[in-house]
Amino acid sequence: MTAASVYARRTAVLAASAALTVTGLLATAPAAQASPPTPVSAATARTYLAALTVKAEGSSTGYSRDLFPHWITQSGTCNTREVVLKRDGVNVVTDSNCAAVSGSWYSEYDGATWTLASDLDIDHVVPLAEAWRSGANSWTTSRRQSFANDLTRPQLIAVTDNVNQAKGDQDPAEWLPPRTAYRCTYARMWVEVKYAYGLSVDSAEKSALQSVLNGC
């Protein structure tokens, strides 16, 4: 074997070793902070929005939060709220009942950071009452339960409690996150959820969403 071929072989071995080292580092690197499922792109959201039924918002007659069984048990002793708190926080420690006893949470809606779980609400991006007025009044209880506890779509997010309370059941024509940098993501989340569940939009709501999405 020539000196050149020995050199080439050594170089290949070193390169392979380096690649394995990098792969090992990637495999053991800490995971990035979890968050709600990433919503569809702005372009896809615009397509979804165009496909939604536009109609006047329905009545709240007959609405009750109890018609949307929420914070159901997800696994073991953990209910939906506790799962979202752990997912959306950093270094979250839970007790034997799955309650968050420590951690840090960044509220995307207003940019505040909290270290007490009691300072956070789990927001239904599309509020339950809004869903009721947009078509959920005709759903089965089972479907309403799925909607109220949906961890698959970007429908649940941990945010500052009083910001969530200020939002109430308003749609994007009436309320958007005070942190403007998050409004594009919020609009994408809203449209994806409404599209997935076949909910309608009213004309003012659609215009507000179009305006946000066109600026994304």
Side-chain angles (χ1 to χ4, degrees), residues 106-112 176-184:
Y106 177 77
S107 170
E108 295 283 8
Y109 286 2
D110 58 331
L176 286 167
R179 180 172 161 254
T180 56
Y182 200 68
R183 289 181 179 178
C184 178

Side-chain angles (χ1 to χ4, degrees), residues 39-52 125-126 153-155 172 183-201 205-206 208-210 212-213:
V40 295
S41 68
T44 299
R46 286 192 288 269
T47 300
Y48 283 2
L49 181 59
L52 294 180
V125 172
V126 175
R153 299 176 184 86
Q155 161 68 342
R183 289 181 179 178
C184 178
T185 302
Y186 182 80
R188 290 157 50 207
M189 295 164 80
W190 183 283
V191 171
E192 180 177 346
V193 171
K194 281 222 160 177
Y195 182 82
Y197 284 92
L199 296 170
S200 63
V201 290
E205 175 188 353
K206 182 174 182 178
L209 289 163
Q210 283 176 324
V212 174
L213 291 172

Side-chain angles (χ1 to χ4, degrees), residues 93-106:
V93 175
T94 56
D95 63 17
S96 58
N97 295 317
C98 203
V101 294
S102 65
S104 176
W105 292 268
Y106 177 77

Side-chain angles (χ1 to χ4, degrees), residues 103-149:
S104 176
W105 292 268
Y106 177 77
S107 170
E108 295 283 8
Y109 286 2
D110 58 331
T113 298
W114 303 97
T115 55
L116 291 176
S118 57
D119 287 321
L120 297 143
D121 278 353
I122 307 304
D123 181 41
H124 288 98
V125 172
V126 175
L128 305 182
E130 164 68 21
W132 178 268
R133 298 189 296 264
S134 304
N137 60 320
S138 66
W139 291 353
T140 62
T141 299
S142 176
R143 185 163 174 78
R144 287 194 286 260
Q145 176 175 295
S146 295
F147 178 83
N149 298 275

Side-chain angles (χ1 to χ4, degrees), residues 71-84 86 94-100 151:
W71 307 165
I72 61 171
T73 299
Q74 292 290 343
S75 64
T77 59
C78 302
N79 66 27
T80 307
R81 171 183 164 84
E82 291 155 349
V83 169
V84 175
K86 187 158 189 178
T94 56
D95 63 17
S96 58
N97 295 317
C98 203
L151 295 168

